[in-house]
């Protein structure tokens, strides 16, 4: 009996002739994500991805890690056995016993075979294994509609069995959709905005504007921490930190007070666009949202947009604040974002 991890990818299947390109990118990103798990091997067989060589005690951590790679749909720990009924039944019993923890529960066996030479068809196999499980573990019951434990059996070059399919982040592999420059503040919104665009396969660079000595080292560290959390999904990222002090001082000396915020924002956009061109980014990303604060009206969006010529992605434009906060919690950036260090906009 060998244990492997099965990685399912969703949307890539729709990609027709480009599919090998997406698959290669996904494989590379999976290998990068698994680097901390020494000995882990990523292999593609039968149009699926298997991860082998992960130590048993690391399996859960490896599954969690894989669930955060964009392009991955779901991940299961899988047992692989020879394609004979006794081996399959023994593995099925093991898995269901582990899932039920010796307590009464309902279960269902679902079988599929891509190897049509296998002696039983899917229905027959499910019934046979279900029957054997019932006999061995009489405290269990079958429920075909809403089982507590779902055991899947797939007959391929081996028989693969699993009971847990953990939902992953979905999206497209990073690197298949070009590159964009995220304006990353220390707030709640911009990390979520970057996450959403990266999930569509876009590699993300970040730029952060700081105003030392008016902004602190803690504020800078917070942004580095946010970028690090994002890198857990996107893979290695570049964070550009730009000193904004001189521009900000000049604006405070000479600028018309009611326009300070918008003027600052326009300078940020200009600088971000220059960096974007250097780094071959095709777009900017901001965490802007319509109506959230006084500076985020349609007029001010127009005013900041007017100074750049590449597209500006604002994936949060139509979200409520509560929805953005929920997403930040899911991603894991929320707790860092709410730390109280000033950024240059609040100075
Ligand atoms: P966030 O929660 O992302 O800070 P916000 O609701 O505070 O957004 P604003 O302060 O108006 O909104 O900023 C709008 C957007 O401008 C941010 O989402 C971010 O993309 C960009 N931005 C603001 N300040 C900075 C900064 N210091 N460095 C980089 N980008 C910034
Ligand atoms: Mg902010």
């Amino acid at each position: 009996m060998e244990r492997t991890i099965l990685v399912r990818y969703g949307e890539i299947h729709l990609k027709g002739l480009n599919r090998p390109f997406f698959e290669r990118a996904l494989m590379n990103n999976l290998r990068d994500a698994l680097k901390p798990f020494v000995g882990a091997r990523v292999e593609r067989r039968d149009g699926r991805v298997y991860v082998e060589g992960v130590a048993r005690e690391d399996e859960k951590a490896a599954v969690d890690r894989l669930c955060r790679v964009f392009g991955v749909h779901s991940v299961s720990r899988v047992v692989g056995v020879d394609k004979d009924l006794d081996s399959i039944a023994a593995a099925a019993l093991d898995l269901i016993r582990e899932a039920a923890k010796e307590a009464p529960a309902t279960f269902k066996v679902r079988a599929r075979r891509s190897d049509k030479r296998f002696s039983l068809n899917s229905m027959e196999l499910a019934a046979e294994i279900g029957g054997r499980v019932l006999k061995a573990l009489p405290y269990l019951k079958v429920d075909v509609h809403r089982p507590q434990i779902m055991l899947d059996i797939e007959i391929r070059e081996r028989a693969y069995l699993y009971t847990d399919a953990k939902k992953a982040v979905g999206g497209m592999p990073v690197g298949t959709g070009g590159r964009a420059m995220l304006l990353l503040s220390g707030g709640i919104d911009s990390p979520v905005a970057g996450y959403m665009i990266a999930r569509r396969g876009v590699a993300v660079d970040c730029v952060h504007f700081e105003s030392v000595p008016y902004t602190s080292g803690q504020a800078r560290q917070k942004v580095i921490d946010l970028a690090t959390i994002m890198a857990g999904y996107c893979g290695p990222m570049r964070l550009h930190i730009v000193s904004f002090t001189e521009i900000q001082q000049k604006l405070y000396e000479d600028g018309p007070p009611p326009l300070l915020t918008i003027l600052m924002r326009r300078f940020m956009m200009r600088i971000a666009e220059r960096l974007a061109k250097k780094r071959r980014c095709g777009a900017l990303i901001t965490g802007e949202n319509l109506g959230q604060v006084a500076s985020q009206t349609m007029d001010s969006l127009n005013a900041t947009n007017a100074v750049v010529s590449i597209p500006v992605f604002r994936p949060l434009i139509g979200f409520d604040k509560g929805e953005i906060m929920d997403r930040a919690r899911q991603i894991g950036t929320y707790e860092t974002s709410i730390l109280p260090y000033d950024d240059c906009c609040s100075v």
Side-chain angles (χ1 to χ4, degrees):
M1 206 183 286
E2 91 227 358
R3 298 173 69 94
T4 58
I5 297 172
L6 167 62
V7 178
R8 297 179 200 78
Y9 44 93
E11 224 174 299
I12 296 178
H13 284 305
L14 306 174
K15 290 290 165 188
L17 286 177
N18 271 336
R19 197 171 133 179
F21 166 69
F22 288 90
E23 285 176 333
R24 263 200 308 276
L26 180 65
M27 296 288 285
N28 284 338
N29 295 352
L30 290 172
R31 288 196 178 103
D32 278 348
L34 288 174
K35 279 212 176 109
F37 301 91
V38 177
R41 297 184 308 279
V42 184
E43 278 168 31
R44 202 151 52 81
R45 302 194 294 269
D46 267 356
R48 317 192 106 167
V49 175
Y50 294 92
V51 176
E52 263 138 41
V54 176
R56 179 116 189 212
E57 65 273 17
D58 290 338
E59 274 177 4
K60 226 177 145 293
V63 169
D64 286 346
R65 186 70 197 85
L66 292 165
C67 281
R68 277 185 280 127
V69 176
F70 292 131
V72 176
H73 195 77
S74 67
V75 182
S76 299
R77 284 192 273 179
V78 176
V79 173
V81 294
D82 289 339
K83 285 187 282 191
D84 66 77
L85 276 177
D86 288 340
S87 310
I88 295 172
L93 269 175
D94 259 12
L95 280 172
I96 290 191
R97 202 181 271 128
E98 195 181 315
K101 302 186 183 76
E102 320 260 326
T106 59
F107 77 101
K108 174 182 178 176
V109 179
R110 198 162 50 177
R112 241 170 307 165
R113 45 173 202 161
S114 60
D115 174 7
K116 302 289 178 200
R117 290 165 310 177
F118 189 74
S119 58
L120 303 181
N121 70 28
S122 304
M123 298 287 278
E124 291 163 346
L125 176 60
E128 172 68 28
I129 300 299
R132 292 196 195 194
V133 170
L134 274 178
K135 213 182 220 170
L137 307 174
Y139 53 89
L140 297 183
K141 272 210 201 82
V142 172
D143 179 346
V144 291
H145 300 296
R146 292 173 150 230
Q148 289 163 304
I149 302 165
M150 174 72 85
L151 174 74
D152 280 285
I153 305 175
E154 298 187 5
I155 305 294
R156 294 171 170 262
E157 81 282 11
R158 316 241 311 136
Y160 292 106
L161 297 87
Y162 52 89
T163 54
D164 59 329
K166 200 167 174 218
K167 201 169 173 324
V169 283
M172 300 296 293
V174 168
T176 58
R179 177 183 298 282
M181 180 69 67
L182 168 68
L183 285 85
L184 181 63
S185 71
I188 294 170
D189 301 345
S190 40
V192 177
Y195 172 97
M196 288 178 70
I197 298 300
R199 199 164 81 117
R200 299 311 304 156
V202 177
V204 171
D205 265 32
C206 304
V207 55
H208 174 71
F209 299 93
E210 63 174 15
S211 297
V212 178
Y214 308 107
T215 58
S216 64
Q218 286 164 310
R220 173 194 278 208
Q221 187 57 46
K222 175 180 167 181
V223 171
I224 295 173
D225 292 345
L226 287 171
T228 307
I229 297 169
M230 290 180 64
Y233 300 91
C234 313
M237 289 196 312
R238 209 176 271 222
L239 167 63
H240 311 262
I241 296 187
V242 175
S243 170
F244 204 61
T245 315
E246 225 176 305
I247 292 175
Q248 203 162 357
Q249 280 170 337
K250 194 81 190 140
L251 283 174
Y252 274 89
E253 282 161 24
D254 298 342
L259 294 181
L260 284 183
T261 308
I262 207 97
L263 290 173
M264 263 167 50
R265 199 49 51 72
R266 278 163 65 101
F267 276 104
M268 287 185 188
M269 297 291 270
R270 286 190 187 99
I271 295 168
E273 183 183 40
R274 282 204 199 169
L275 261 176
K277 288 189 169 152
K278 254 194 194 155
R279 290 279 300 149
R280 297 177 193 279
C281 295
L284 301 179
I285 308 166
T286 74
E288 285 167 309
N289 174 277
L290 209 45
Q292 196 184 86
V293 289
S295 63
Q296 294 183 9
T297 60
M298 213 183 294
D299 284 342
S300 66
L301 290 180
N302 275 319
T304 50
N305 224 35
V307 296
V308 296
S309 61
I310 57 178
V312 182
F313 295 155
R314 300 178 178 91
L316 305 183
I317 198 76
F319 282 99
D320 286 349
K321 190 71 189 180
E323 292 168 331
I324 300 171
M325 284 159 61
D326 286 346
R327 275 167 192 254
R329 284 192 197 95
Q330 260 170 28
I331 298 167
T333 50
Y334 183 78
E335 295 300 325
T336 306
S337 285
I338 58 173
L339 294 172
Y341 311 120
D342 279 347
D343 72 5
C344 58
C345 294
S346 34
V347 168

